[in-house]
């Protein structure tokens, strides 16, 4: 077993691994135990009692974080010429169609989100093997395939994110940066947890939201008192 560094020892001493903390307190602790020299990302993990292999238990949704993600989101808008001005005015970093289709085929994926209009999905769909594994494929369910291309760009730039349960039944999503206040982290995390809770499959038997935890880049995980949060005890 590797030895803990000085910072890791300091972090471990500031909270109890066996205790589940109120969400608001967990947000304060995660700030207090982060010693990175960069502005670390804070991540929320929610362990769900679902079987992602079953289509009716695949949890996926979108949520707009009240305080954004804290990171610069690079957006590519793939659209026809009549929609380019709308996308540019909304703040898209890259706008076009065929030239970017070719760039992506060549391996370029230096972007965070792609939005497009329905009319170009035939061309975009051909990029599935490249975009799919990177989580970049536009999807009508997440609002990234739409005629309202300008609104889609604004939403993404403003903190709209999508989340999806992984094959182990866990949702992982960034909720901000360590530089955020504890209150900002709390409000972002609460928005995500509330959004997940509303997606409970009707056919599911047993506990839906089993546990949750917060951590930052390279920090230990802090257990969240999920039951207290869901019962409105905070």
């Amino acid at each position: 077993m590797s030895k803990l560094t000085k910072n890791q020892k300091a972090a471990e001493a500031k909270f109890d691994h066996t205790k589940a903390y109120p969400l608001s307190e967990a947000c304060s602790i995660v700030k207090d135990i982060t010693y990175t020299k960069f502005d670390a990302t804070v991540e929320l993990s929610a362990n769900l009692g679902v079987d992602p292999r079953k289509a009716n238990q695949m949890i996926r949704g979108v949520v707009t974080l009240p305080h954004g993600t804290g990171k610069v989101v690079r957006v590519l808008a793939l659209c026809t010429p009549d929609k380019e001005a709308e996308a540019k005015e909304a703040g898209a970093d890259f706008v076009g169609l065929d030239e970017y289709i070719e760039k992506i085929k060549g391996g370029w994926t230096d972007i965070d989100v792609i939005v497009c209009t329905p009319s170009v999905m035939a061309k975009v769909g051909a990029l599935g093997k490249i975009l799919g594994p990177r989580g970049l494929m536009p999807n009508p369910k997440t609002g990234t395939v739409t005629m309202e291309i300008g609104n889609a760009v604004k939403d993404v730039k403003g903190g709209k994110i999508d989340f999806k349960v992984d094959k182990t039944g866990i949702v992982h999503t960034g909720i901000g940066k360590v530089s955020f206040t504890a209150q900002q982290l709390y409000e972002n995390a609460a928005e995500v947890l509330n959004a997940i809770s509303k997606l409970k499959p009707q056919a599911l038997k047993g506990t839906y939201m089993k546990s949750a935890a917060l951590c930052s880049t390279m920090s230990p995980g802090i257990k969240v008192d999920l039951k207290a949060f869901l019962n409105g005890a905070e």
Side-chain angles (χ1 to χ4, degrees), residues 211-224:
S211 63
L214 282 181
C215 70
S216 68
T217 309
M218 297 172 66
S219 89
I222 304 151
K223 294 178 182 177
V224 172

Side-chain angles (χ1 to χ4, degrees), residues 126-203:
L127 303 173
K129 290 185 178 180
I130 300 172
L131 300 180
R134 294 169 174 79
L136 291 172
M137 191 58 142
N139 189 317
K141 293 182 179 179
T142 61
T144 48
V145 180
T146 174
M147 285 300 295
E148 303 294 329
I149 197 90
N151 288 337
V153 172
K154 289 177 183 176
D155 285 345
V156 170
K157 289 281 190 178
K160 184 177 181 180
I161 61 169
D162 69 294
F163 57 85
K164 181 180 179 181
V165 67
D166 67 16
K167 62 183 180 180
T168 65
I170 300 175
V171 172
H172 299 278
T173 185
I175 58 160
K177 297 286 187 177
V178 171
S179 59
F180 283 23
T181 66
Q183 182 64 25
Q184 288 174 323
L185 290 174
Y186 170 81
E187 291 173 5
N188 278 0
E191 198 74 21
V192 174
L193 289 174
N194 284 328
I196 294 173
S197 70
K198 293 174 183 176
L199 296 173
K200 180 180 179 180
Q202 292 184 341

Side-chain angles (χ1 to χ4, degrees), residues 111-129:
I111 41 180
D112 300 300
V113 178
I114 298 176
V115 299
C116 72
T117 53
S119 62
V120 305
M121 267 307 289
K123 291 184 176 181
V124 178
L127 303 173
K129 290 185 178 180

Side-chain angles (χ1 to χ4, degrees), residues 6-49:
K6 182 179 178 180
N7 285 342
Q8 287 174 328
K9 288 180 180 179
E12 298 280 350
K14 289 186 175 182
F15 74 104
D16 184 348
H17 276 274
T18 65
K19 179 181 176 181
Y21 291 88
L23 180 59
S24 56
E25 190 174 347
C27 289
S28 295
I29 294 172
V30 78
K31 286 173 58 65
D32 200 31
I33 66 172
T34 300
Y35 293 93
T36 53
K37 294 181 180 179
F38 56 91
D39 193 8
T41 295
V42 177
E43 184 177 271
L44 170 69
S45 300
N47 185 15
L48 308 181

